[in-house]
Amino acid sequence: MPHDHHDHDHPHSLLPSDPALRVKALETLLVRKGLVDPAALDAIIDTYETRIGPQNGARVVARAWADASFRARLLGDATAVISEMGYYGRQGEHIVAVENTDSTHNIVVCTLCSCYPWPLLGIPPAWYKSDAYRARVVREPRQVLAEFGLVLPEGQTVRVWDSTAEIRYLVLPQRPAGTDDLTEEALAALVTRDSMIGTGLARAPE
Ligand code: FE
């Protein structure tokens, strides 16, 4: 293969600065070299845009609120229970559910990088991956929660769970008051993404 001195002198001059353009350039190159199948890429993107997201975790939480035996099984072996519901795959190999109560509030972080239960919550938000969140939530969880607009009662213990490549956590938020008559579907609509990370609470019914 002939050596191109021009490229060597300006190795990055052709790379667009915008991340989306860089991704597109990389994708074009990989497809052209036959290293990836465009249909497979489209399927992955569609999966994370439409099939995988916090709506999955919300269905799990709503069912746990509505069905005591399901809740007990979820707290006993979340991975098995959510797999039965069809929620499994990358970053979902071993999930542990931790339950919020009047005495304990749980919050999840990955201090090392950004481990997150993808099959239940989708792709993590930018703040979850930020240095500030990962460092501070361990040292001053109440302060961080207050910045999310969540001020907990003094008497409630805050437990911080550090995710790893082996274990990811799902917070089971407390069921809001006044929801006794709601269907599972209506309950699921009250479950926010942040309430399943622990940086928020489930919404009150209207
Ligand atoms: Fe991580």
Side-chain angles (χ1 to χ4, degrees), residues 170-189:
L170 172 75
V171 173
L172 179 55
Q174 285 188 282
R175 179 173 178 160
T179 56
D180 290 355
D181 299 332
L182 295 188
T183 63
E184 223 174 277
E185 200 184 344
L187 286 172

Side-chain angles (χ1 to χ4, degrees), residues 3-4 20 23-24 26 47 50 54 70 72 77 112 140 156 162 176 180:
H3 194 80
D4 189 338
V23 169
K24 191 67 208 165
L26 264 178
T47 294
T50 60
F70 178 86
D77 184 356
L112 197 62
E140 42 178 11
Q156 199 174 23
D162 193 3
D180 290 355

Side-chain angles (χ1 to χ4, degrees), residues 45-197:
I45 290 167
D46 178 65
T47 294
Y48 282 97
E49 273 184 351
T50 60
R51 288 206 305 113
I52 296 184
Q55 70 274 14
N56 294 356
R59 284 190 205 107
V60 173
V61 169
R63 187 163 299 175
W65 286 345
D67 178 343
S69 74
F70 178 86
R71 176 180 147 275
R73 289 203 302 128
L74 179 71
L75 294 172
D77 184 356
T79 314
V81 172
I82 64 174
S83 295
E84 285 168 21
M85 291 176 73
Y87 307 143
Y88 49 81
R90 281 173 56 81
Q91 300 230 13
E93 292 83 359
H94 187 184
I95 292 180
V96 170
V98 289
E99 183 182 35
N100 285 349
T101 63
D102 286 342
S103 59
T104 304
H105 181 88
N106 297 286
I107 179 165
V108 179
V109 65
C110 175
T111 56
L112 197 62
C113 45
S114 57
C115 299
Y116 193 71
W118 287 10
L120 294 175
L121 300 186
I123 303 294
W127 56 257
Y128 185 84
K129 298 182 275 187
S130 72
D131 292 341
Y133 177 75
R134 287 158 44 209
R136 290 185 54 218
V137 78
V138 181
R139 289 201 307 266
E140 42 178 11
R142 283 178 187 275
Q143 177 62 33
V144 170
L145 289 178
E147 288 167 30
F148 274 93
L150 178 55
V151 177
L152 298 174
E154 284 292 321
Q156 199 174 23
T157 302
V158 180
R159 285 200 70 173
V160 180
W161 298 86
D162 193 3
S163 310
T164 65
E166 277 82 42
I167 301 184
R168 332 261 154 145
Y169 297 94
L170 172 75
V171 173
L172 179 55
Q174 285 188 282
R175 179 173 178 160
T179 56
D180 290 355
D181 299 332
L182 295 188
T183 63
E184 223 174 277
E185 200 184 344
L187 286 172
L190 304 177
V191 183
T192 64
R193 177 196 65 196
D194 287 8
S195 74
M196 295 180 279
I197 304 174

